[in-house]
Amino acid sequence: MNTATLRLDIVSAAQAIFSGEVSMVFVTGKIGELGIAPGHSPLLTMIKPGNIRVVFPSQEEDVFYVKGGMLEVQPYIVTVLADSVVRAHDIDEAAALEAKERAEKMLAGKATDVDFAKASAELAEAIAQIRTIQRIKKKKN
């Protein structure tokens, strides 16, 4: 490992998704947006549903969608323990839009507190997936 890169491991309960050297990692933590470069101070935080943007030493990028989880940062090692994770280009855009509409309808109706919490969580997840898809499309154009 050289000091210009980080080792990044992204794993879910089901499998290891990514492991390799990167130049920079961007993720949304509970405390806000985080940019993690080599030599970053140690950190442990929960992560929100959203995307993880990875910049490789070649300056190419990859984007992953995480449903939530934990992020551990050491000066040259970053570990993401995700509830679930997929590469952004594998997200089903139609399903995400449908989930968003369904959650918005639940929120517009007279829902109970439990339904409201569930619908709010589903809406946040669908919006995060849609934003991830839009980021990929914007990057391609």
Side-chain angles (χ1 to χ4, degrees):
M1 169 86 47
N2 73 51
T3 57
T5 60
L6 297 161
R7 171 155 181 98
L8 173 64
D9 293 305
I10 302 174
V11 298
S12 72
Q15 64 186 20
I17 303 298
F18 176 84
S19 183
E21 288 192 32
V22 301
S23 297
M24 192 83 179
V25 178
F26 298 92
V27 63
T28 305
K30 290 289 183 180
I31 57 175
E33 295 294 320
L34 299 166
I36 303 157
H40 195 286
S41 298
L43 171 71
L44 183 63
T45 186
M46 294 178 68
I47 53 177
K48 291 182 176 183
N51 64 58
I52 296 174
R53 186 166 56 100
V54 177
V55 180
F56 296 99
S58 65
Q59 298 307 306
E60 290 183 38
E61 295 185 9
D62 202 355
V63 179
F64 300 85
Y65 171 78
V66 293
K67 192 172 181 177
M70 295 294 297
L71 172 74
E72 179 185 15
V73 178
Q74 295 297 323
Y76 295 96
I77 301 170
V78 176
T79 305
V80 176
L81 304 170
D83 297 335
S84 70
V85 59
V86 294
R87 288 188 183 271
H89 56 75
D90 292 336
I91 296 173
D92 183 342
E93 184 174 13
L97 291 168
E98 184 179 307
K100 179 180 179 275
E101 287 179 26
R102 191 172 49 250
E104 288 173 337
K105 285 179 185 175
M106 285 178 65
L107 289 171
K110 302 281 186 204
T112 66
D113 288 345
V114 173
D115 291 339
F116 181 80
K118 181 179 178 188
S120 294
E122 288 177 6
L123 180 60
E125 182 179 339
I127 289 171
Q129 287 181 350
I130 292 165
R131 285 185 181 149
T132 301
I133 293 166
Q134 289 171 341
R135 175 179 219 108
I136 293 294
K137 286 181 176 179
K138 185 177 179 183
K139 183 82 173 159
K140 287 181 181 177
N141 294 334

